Every structure is written in C-alpha cells, then in structure tokens.
Amino acid sequence: MLKLERIPKSVAHFLGKDAGQNKNLERRSNSTGSKRALITMLGVIAALAGSAVASNAEPLWVTYPGLEEKKPVFLHFRREVILDSLAASYPVELSADNRFILYVNGKRVAEGPSRGDLAHWRYEQLDLRPYLHKGKNVVAAEVWNSFTGETPPRAPLAQVSARTGFWLRGDGAASVFETGASWRVSRDRSRTFESPWPHLNTVLGGTYYVAGSSEIVDAAQADWNWNALEETHAEWVNAVAALAPGEAAPWALQSDKLPPMRYTPVSPGEVVRTNLASGTAFPKSSVTIAAHASATLLIDQAKMVSAYPEFVVSGGKGAKITVTYSEALYDKNKKKGDRNAIGDRLVLGVEDTFLPDGAHRVSFRPLWWRTWRYMQLHVETGDQPLTLEGLSLHETGYPFDERGFFKSDDAALNQIWEIGWRTLQINAHETFMDSSYWEQLQYVGDTRIDNYIVYTVAGDPRLPIQAIDAFGHSQGKDGMIQSAYPSSGDNIIPPFGLLWLGMMRDYAQYHPDTDVLKRNLAGARKILDWYAPYVASNGLVGITPKWNYIDWAGEAQQPGNPTHEDRFPSFDAAMKTSCIISLSYLGALNDMAVVEMAAGDPALAAADRQKADAIKNAIHDQCWDADKGLYADSPDRTVFSQHANALAVLYDVAPKDKAAGILRKVTKGHGVDAPEGIIEASYYFSWYIVKAFDHADLDDEYLVLVETWRDLLTLNYTTWPESRGDTRSDTHAWSSHPTADLIGIVAGIRPGALGYSSAVIEPHLGTLKSVDAATPTPHGLVSVSYRLSGQKMLATISVPEGLPARFIWKGRTYPLETGTNQLELLTP
C-alpha cells in the first residue's frame, strides 16, 4: 500500500476528504490501475503544493537513533526540499525537548519552545515563506538537551524535560517539511555542557546557581557546514521516531501565546583593560595574539545586557579562549563596590570555553544567551597565532513596547525610573525571571511586582497571564502551588501561594478581561482551603509544612529546614502561631474577595470577607503592643519588624488614626531603612511598605522613601540589586517597583475601579517643578504634564475615549473629559 502524507487543506478537495484517513482510496490503491491513478493524483497535489510528497503520514517526534535517555546531547536536524514553485505561505508549528534554533537556507529564523511543563508544552508558529526560494531549500535545526539529573544540574532548573526530540508540523504546502523519516540528523560532539555552580563556589565561596550550563566548544569536532546546501559530515543518518509504536507522547502540545523574543543587534562594548598592545582596538578591529602567548581583554558593556554573544576567530590551532561573564567586578576580598570601578578588580563568574582548530573565520557562540556587564576574554595560544576577528551581540528578552514613561526636573528620579525598567527587561523573557544571571526562575513574589511594572509601563498582559497560569499549572493534589514555575525541582513556599491570589487581584484591577481569573478560580480557592486547617484556636495561623518564607530579613527561615520559632517570621512558643503569616493570610482573603467579585461568586466573596474580619480581630488582639505602639511578629511580642506593621496598616488591622504613627516608627525618615530594634525589609518587601504608606494617605512622603534608590545611584548600578549590602545578584526586578510607583504615586495615574473601568489621577509632586508621565490603559494612553511656578500649578492631562477619569489635587476633585484637559491650580 502506498503511504500517504496528510494532504494540504488547499488541495484536499481533490480526494473529497482528508487523504490520510481515506480508507476507500487506500483499498482502491491495491489495484495496478488505481495505483497509477493515485500516483497521478499525488503528482497533481505535489505540484499544487509546490513540493514533492514526503513519505510520512503525520509529523513525528524524531530523534537520533540509539540516543541515551537523560544524557546531555547536541543534535543537528535537516530537511532538503526542492520547490519548483512557491506557494503563498508555508505555515509551520514546531517544538523540541529541550530547545531548538531553526534555520532556513542558513538564516536563523526562530527559537524555542517557550518554557512550560509536560502537560503544557509549547510549540512555536511561523511562516517559512519569506525564507524559501525556488529550487533546493534546507530547513535545519539545532536541538540540545543538557539534562543529566545530576546535582548540581547542568540544565536550567526552570527547564523540564521528558527526552530529547524535535517536532515540526506543516499546514498546506508546508506539510512537505513535517518531521519524519525524510529528516536527517547528526550528533555534534563538539559541545560539552558543564554546571558552573562548582566553579562559582570555588571563586566566590558558597553561592546558589541553577540558570544552566557553561559550554565548551571544540572546533575540531564541529560540523561547521551542517545547515549548508549539501551534507558534508559523515555522521548524518535518517532521523528515527522518539516514541515507541503506540507510545503516548509525554508532551501535551499547546500553542505559544507569546510573541518571539527579541534578537536585536547591539554594540559589543569597549575594551577597558588589556595586556595586549593592540587590544583596545577590539572589537571594532581585529587583533592577533602571537603563538605561545596569552592575552586578556576586559570588555565593558557599560550597562547590563542579556544577549547572545558570537566571536569570530581565525587560526589558533591548539589555543584556548575562556570567556567570563560578570555582573560586576570584585575586589581581592570578593566584594563588589562601585560598579564603574575597574583598576585591578577581578572578573568572576560563569565561563564558556572555545577551542579553535586553526580554520579561518570560525564563529563561536553559546547556544543560550548570557547576562553580563563585564566580559573577559582570556586567550592562550599554542603553535599558531590566533586572530580575534570580531564580536557581535544580539540582545534578547520579551519584546515589550515602552508606552509608559516618567520624566521630571530631578535627573536622579529619571535615572531611578530608567534603571528599574531596564532591570525588568533584563529579567523578562519567555517567563519572568528572578535573576537572569543566577537562577532564571519565575517566583511568585518577584513576579507579582514584575506584573505591576508591566501593567504600568507596557500594558501588555500576555507575560503576566502566562505567569498566573503557570503557577496554577504547578498546583499539587494538596492544593498548594510551587513557589517558582516552570521548574523541574520542588520548592514550596506557602506564603507565595497567598501572594498568587494578590497577583490575580492586581490583574483584575488593571484588565477588564477575566478569562485568566476564571480558569484559575478553583485553584485559588484551594490555596485558602490549604491554609484553613492551620488556623489555631487563638485565631492566628500556625506553623505550616514547607518553607515559611516572607523575606530575606533578620535571621530568615531557610529552605529545606524545619520552621524555627525564633527565626523570621517568628512564632510564639505557646501556640506556635505567627502574626506575620496571619497578616499574609488576611491579605489573601481580602484579595480573593475582590477576585470573586470580578470573576467568581459574590457569596464566596462575602464568606472570604467574613473570615478576614475574624482573623483581623485576632491579630489586633494578640499582636498589638500598646507600650511600643507597634504590632509584633508573634503573640510573644518580643520581636518587631517593618513587615508586620506595614501589613497591619495595609490590611486595616491598624486603626486609621494610628496608621501614620506606626509607619513612622518603623522607618527613619530617609528611604525605607528601619530604626534600631526593628527588623528591616529587603528592597523586595519594601514595596509593601510603600503600599502601606499609600493606603494610609501618606503618598506625599513617597519621595522620602525612594531616597534608598537615590543612594544606590552612587554605586553606579545599571540594574537594581537583589539585596542590601553585599548582594549576590546585580539584576533583580523585585527591587524595581519605583519604576511603577513614580508613575502611579508621583505622577498619580492609577485605575479608579476594577478592570481599569475608570482612572484617578492624583499627583504627589513634593518639591518637583516639572513632571511628564504616561501609562497605558485598556482604553489607550493616559498622559500628564505638570508645571509648577510660584504658587501655581498647570496640569495638562490627556484622557482616551471611553475612560471616565477624575483629577484630585490637594483634596479637591475635578472631573476630566475625553481628550486634552488643562487645569491651572493653586499650590499650598
């Protein structure tokens, strides 16, 4: 019997229905005459499709024959097709485990798939038509999997895997490119994947790294012509099925709703330190290192970047090139300082190694992007000199459109805004990432702040929707979600489950579409159900299983260890209950009530509010210390933190008339620093302090709180760090909330009701004399311009059609009309 491929829809009418399932046609093909007729018909179909008919009936997951499971591997796939004519389009869907980069006729055109789990495995979509031509075409893919299951892991912890494979489905004329026996595959042994974690522990001391592999590339073993018109390597074989006959695919495929990540050429930076006489000419000009010599070139990118680096070298057989990527330079004590300082400071970090084979103009590049500000090239040559011909970079990340902005007459505030937005972009890819350098994990706590910044600056909800859904996908049978997802590991932080509900409330505030909320409602309710049994007889939440993490503050609870009563957040000795955990639970009940009203059941919203009132009363009764005028971390009332008091104000445990006094007692009047005796919040948790000041109508003090970030400018950060003092990570978007708050609090543009169905504009300008700002809404852009002179303020406000809006200035409300509004007002 002849094997039929799935017929393109545009020509399926020639057979009356889908040829791949036409059993009558298959039966008729058993006769000689019918076979000739069938062959003729297939020829017509092929001509209409602009291609020859492939041999496979449906796209298969394909792989290399005899491949060991769960071992690091780097594969090349290729499909050669001769096109006598070109169809109007060649739409394809494609995926891989773990990753692919697709080339058409030598041009890089796609990469993926976006990270997910096996039950939600992404495939990418594109049209090959712009890259094809009449005659012979080669569609080729690099596919790799660095999974080992070892500790430390070589693969990113955020990467899930079943087994190595590649899958491509074509529609219409593109069906000729579908994966099957017509594809060829070779195993490229030039790349070795190694975990950088042991090296980082050696050079930096104990640290934590799970962002993926370092790569060692040996040019002598590489097939540099793998995607050329003709096969030139001996190891090419026919691809084989990745699944046994009848075996169900472990990947449940679904389309990727995200746009392609950026792949944008950017400047490669400048050499700022070298021992090579001509080294400063690189990378604008080529430089040569003599035989039996060594050279080091330190390149400053000037700002943090996430990018794909690519080096072109000639000669240098027997040489070794070590590339080190570092967020900052270190002193001899392995400490960071002024991020612009160079001198004799050390470059310590993730490394890639390239081994040239003496060929002319060989291109070296890692398969995955890197994050760095400083890149060091260390070259050791053998018997041949080596020429560094050039360095190019392609920046990557989620393609946000920067629609919102903030500009003022205070240059430092403008810089704070820009650094925060850059930090978010560095850490936003196909998921949000806590740190693009160290972990690349999408954590709930980080992501809630990331979403807030995106809503305010870009307005694009697709990456936040991905995050909300991902955490829902991670939910276990017991009802609790993972703290970071996607992930191949297991790390449950129950308070992050509560913040997931806050994340959904934030979405409801900024976006009218509630589909993502509706499909996650059941899961959100399970979070509250999970916590309910841990409410003790005193009305407070007790110690729960897993990691009771709130913030890196004081002597924090540690992952993988039992909860200690005397660590942050602390628990009382008698009942083992916590005021801070109880406040977090209270906040989640409030948030869930809003989500229920927006997309769920009003009766359940009322029930959540009733539970919230009960726990609110318990917190006030048992955690308020009248002598100190503060809320304690536990009913023992021996430890006090910014965290407990900020949340008590934010969630209305504290009476309104006491809120301002409480907040001023846990801050020092300069930034978000805490006075002695009060556990200090991190940059991350300080967002909740800001929210508490806002809730207490203390927005006029926001520019005092942001002094903490003004102080950081003296160290010349180009992205915001993870933590105070000696930080591990120099690029952590959880510290970037001033970028949203400068628009929302200082310029004062915010939602006035759920779904951004109205807007309220209430600026808090402090001593500023000039502010221009804008933020996207579902109705369009809202922009403001404020100019203060003497005792007058001129406000120019643009409101999009369909968005009711009001302006508030010093307690007085002014209705706004669609279009441009101008108000001339008096200042106090």
Side-chain angles (χ1 to χ4, degrees):
M1 184 186 297
L2 292 176
K3 187 71 170 178
L4 285 156
E5 74 164 338
R6 183 168 44 77
I7 302 302
K9 293 177 182 176
S10 60
V11 296
H13 66 276
F14 275 89
L15 299 181
K17 61 179 178 176
D18 183 4
Q21 298 178 2
N22 195 323
K23 296 180 180 179
N24 291 329
L25 180 60
E26 290 178 1
R27 285 197 292 269
R28 289 198 303 269
S29 71
N30 288 330
S31 69
T32 302
S34 295
K35 286 181 181 178
R36 280 197 295 267
L38 179 57
I39 291 169
T40 301
M41 187 177 296
L42 291 175
V44 172
I45 293 168
L48 288 172
S51 64
V53 177
S55 61
N56 54 300
E58 290 290 336
L60 301 174
W61 278 90
V62 293
T63 191
Y64 186 82
L67 200 63
E68 295 178 273
E69 284 194 23
K70 298 183 179 180
K71 294 292 183 182
V73 67
F74 176 46
L75 301 177
H76 289 145
F77 289 89
R78 60 183 283 135
R79 172 79 167 104
E80 300 176 13
V81 174
I82 296 175
L83 299 176
D84 297 328
S85 61
L86 291 177
S89 64
Y90 289 84
V92 298
E93 302 163 346
L94 65 161
S95 189
D97 186 343
N98 276 156
R99 309 287 309 187
F100 73 82
I101 302 174
L102 186 74
Y103 297 80
V104 179
N105 293 322
K107 181 179 178 60
R108 177 177 177 144
V109 300
E111 53 100 6
S114 291
R115 285 174 177 165
D117 57 25
L118 295 179
H120 309 87
W121 198 265
R122 308 292 193 264
Y123 63 81
E124 311 304 320
Q125 303 174 80
L126 75 154
D127 186 358
L128 301 183
R129 176 61 177 82
Y131 316 107
L132 299 172
H133 52 243
K134 293 180 182 179
K136 188 174 184 178
N137 293 264
V138 177
V139 176
E142 294 173 310
V143 173
W144 71 96
N145 192 335
S146 53
F147 178 83
T148 62
E150 300 169 349
T151 301
R154 303 187 204 196
L157 189 59
Q159 185 67 61
V160 177
S161 178
R163 68 188 71 170
T164 304
F166 178 59
W167 178 88
L168 186 150
R169 177 190 180 277
D171 193 20
S175 60
V176 70
F177 296 109
E178 288 184 344
T179 45
S182 55
W183 277 75
R184 302 274 284 169
V185 62
S186 70
R187 183 171 186 172
D188 190 318
R189 303 177 189 276
S190 66
R191 290 183 188 263
T192 303
F193 303 101
E194 297 292 344
S195 171
W197 196 355
H199 167 73
L200 293 171
N201 277 336
T202 298
V203 299
L204 291 174
T207 189
Y208 185 69
Y209 177 94
V210 289
S213 303
S214 290
E215 296 181 34
I216 303 170
V217 183
D218 184 353
Q221 298 189 60
D223 178 6
W224 298 110
N225 298 311
W226 70 277
N227 62 356
L229 276 180
E230 304 293 339
E231 293 179 8
T232 59
H233 198 275
E235 286 201 18
W236 285 102
V237 296
N238 291 334
V240 298
L243 304 173
E247 181 183 4
W251 312 277
L253 289 169
Q254 58 180 230
S255 64
D256 186 3
K257 304 303 182 185
L258 303 180
M261 298 300 106
R262 287 179 291 131
Y263 189 73
T264 308
V266 293
S267 168
E270 296 183 354
V271 172
V272 292
R273 187 177 70 197
T274 182
N275 62 352
L276 183 66
S278 59
T280 54
F282 189 78
K284 292 181 179 179
S285 302
S286 62
V287 295
T288 299
I289 297 95
H292 301 292
S294 65
T296 302
L297 297 87
L298 177 63
I299 301 172
D300 182 5
Q301 189 61 27
K303 297 177 181 178
M304 200 76 71
V305 66
S306 288
Y308 293 91
E310 185 169 358
F311 305 88
V312 178
V313 306
S314 293
K317 184 175 183 180
K320 179 180 180 181
I321 305 171
T322 303
V323 184
T324 306
Y325 312 91
S326 188
E327 294 179 299
L329 302 180
Y330 297 79
D331 65 19
K332 62 182 180 180
N333 296 317
K334 312 291 179 67
K335 304 296 183 183
K336 302 175 184 178
D338 182 347
R339 269 50 176 183
N340 286 349
I342 297 171
D344 61 352
R345 297 178 75 86
L346 305 174
V347 183
L348 305 172
V350 176
E351 296 181 348
D352 289 320
T353 304
F354 303 129
L355 306 174
D357 63 351
H360 182 63
R361 296 193 66 83
V362 172
S363 174
F364 288 101
R365 57 180 174 80
L367 295 168
W368 191 240
W369 49 265
R370 305 299 188 210
T371 297
W372 75 95
R373 175 177 170 178
Y374 292 97
M375 172 194 289
Q376 179 174 279
L377 279 65
H378 180 71
V379 182
E380 296 180 359
T381 57
D383 293 337
Q384 279 189 357
L386 179 142
T387 299
L388 296 171
E389 303 281 5
L391 165 63
S392 62
L393 306 182
H394 284 84
E395 190 171 19
T396 191
Y398 188 92
F400 288 118
D401 182 9
E402 184 182 316
R403 299 169 63 198
F405 60 84
F406 176 90
K407 297 177 183 177
S408 73
D409 58 321
D410 186 331
L413 285 182
N414 300 341
Q415 193 175 359
I416 289 168
W417 190 91
E418 292 165 359
I419 291 173
W421 180 236
R422 184 183 308 115
T423 307
L424 186 282
Q425 290 178 294
I426 291 291
N427 291 287
H429 296 263
E430 57 208 35
T431 67
F432 290 108
M433 297 180 177
D434 64 327
S435 59
S436 56
Y437 190 98
W438 293 93
E439 296 183 46
Q440 297 184 7
L441 286 164
Q442 182 170 249
Y443 282 95
V444 178
D446 307 58
T447 301
R448 185 182 185 187
I449 294 174
D450 296 340
N451 288 357
Y452 173 52
I453 298 167
V454 169
Y455 299 153
T456 307
V457 180
D460 182 348
R462 288 174 290 181
L463 199 58
I465 288 172
Q466 167 278 139
I468 294 169
D469 280 337
F471 297 126
H473 298 159
S474 79
Q475 195 159 38
K477 293 180 179 179
D478 66 348
M480 184 49 65
I481 63 171
Q482 292 287 334
S483 64
Y485 209 73
S487 175
S488 61
D490 178 62
N491 184 9
I492 291 177
I493 300 175
F496 274 19
L498 300 174
L499 293 183
W500 183 47
L501 310 191
M503 188 186 302
M504 283 188 262
R505 176 183 178 159
D506 299 341
Y507 180 90
Q509 196 74 28
Y510 281 84
H511 294 282
D513 177 30
T514 58
D515 285 353
V516 67
L517 304 178
K518 290 177 180 177
R519 63 177 172 262
N520 285 288
L521 268 174
R525 292 165 182 159
K526 289 178 182 178
I527 297 293
L528 296 179
D529 292 342
W530 187 93
Y531 261 96
Y534 298 103
V535 177
S537 59
N538 64 357
L540 301 181
V541 179
I543 294 176
T544 69
K546 303 298 182 177
W547 186 12
N548 280 284
Y549 170 87
I550 292 290
D551 189 20
W552 290 118
E555 188 179 358
Q557 306 285 352
Q558 294 296 310
N561 294 311
T563 297
H564 294 267
E565 295 170 18
D566 58 348
R567 291 187 177 178
F568 180 85
S570 57
F571 296 77
D572 69 296
M575 297 291 293
K576 295 181 172 48
T577 53
S578 168
C579 300
I580 293 181
I581 298 293
S582 300
L583 284 159
S584 299
Y585 180 53
L586 167 61
L589 287 166
N590 291 335
D591 292 335
M592 193 62 199
V594 174
V595 173
E596 292 284 5
M597 292 302 297
D601 186 342
L604 291 178
D608 289 335
R609 286 193 291 268
Q610 186 176 15
K611 293 174 186 176
D613 287 341
I615 199 166
K616 183 191 302 183
N617 293 332
I619 294 169
H620 183 74
D621 290 345
Q622 299 184 61
C623 304
W624 174 248
D625 187 306
D627 292 337
K628 292 185 177 293
L630 294 172
Y631 288 89
D633 285 13
S634 81
D636 285 341
R637 302 180 191 177
T638 57
V639 177
F640 298 83
S641 68
Q642 290 184 317
H643 308 71
N645 288 280
L647 295 182
V649 170
L650 181 59
Y651 300 140
D652 291 320
V653 176
K656 276 288 186 183
D657 61 347
K658 295 184 183 298
I662 289 169
L663 292 175
R664 288 173 180 146
K665 284 183 179 180
V666 296
T667 53
K668 294 170 63 174
H670 178 89
V672 291
D673 298 347
E676 187 175 352
I678 302 294
I679 294 177
E680 188 171 71
S682 68
Y683 300 138
Y684 152 66
F685 203 89
S686 65
W687 183 55
Y688 294 91
I689 298 176
V690 169
K691 284 167 67 69
F693 269 77
D694 177 34
H695 189 70
D697 297 324
L698 299 175
D699 299 283
D700 286 330
E701 298 182 27
Y702 177 71
L703 290 177
V704 175
L705 299 177
V706 87
E707 288 295 316
T708 294
W709 283 263
R710 193 185 295 268
D711 293 343
L712 288 174
L713 294 177
T714 62
L715 293 175
N716 292 302
Y717 283 101
T718 65
T719 50
W720 295 129
E722 176 181 17
S723 57
R724 298 171 183 265
D726 189 26
T727 181
R728 173 193 61 155
S729 166
D730 260 24
T731 174
H732 241 71
W734 73 2
S735 302
S736 296
H737 44 88
T739 291
D741 287 331
L742 286 169
I743 294 174
I745 296 177
V746 177
I749 316 170
R750 289 191 274 195
L754 285 176
Y756 229 130
S757 56
S758 68
V760 58
I761 303 165
E762 184 177 9
H764 300 88
L765 303 177
T767 59
L768 296 174
K769 302 299 183 184
S770 171
V771 170
D772 295 291
T775 191
T777 77
H779 301 272
L781 199 69
V782 173
S783 64
V784 299
S785 176
Y786 308 126
R787 296 294 182 271
L788 283 82
S789 179
Q791 298 299 308
K792 292 185 178 180
M793 195 266 276
L794 178 64
T796 303
I797 306 154
S798 293
V799 179
E801 186 175 356
L803 180 65
R806 65 188 188 275
F807 181 81
I808 302 173
W809 178 248
K810 304 304 179 184
R812 184 174 176 182
T813 300
Y814 303 83
L816 299 173
E817 298 179 352
T818 297
T820 301
N821 301 259
Q822 282 199 333
L823 300 171
E824 188 171 321
L825 306 166
L826 294 177
T827 60

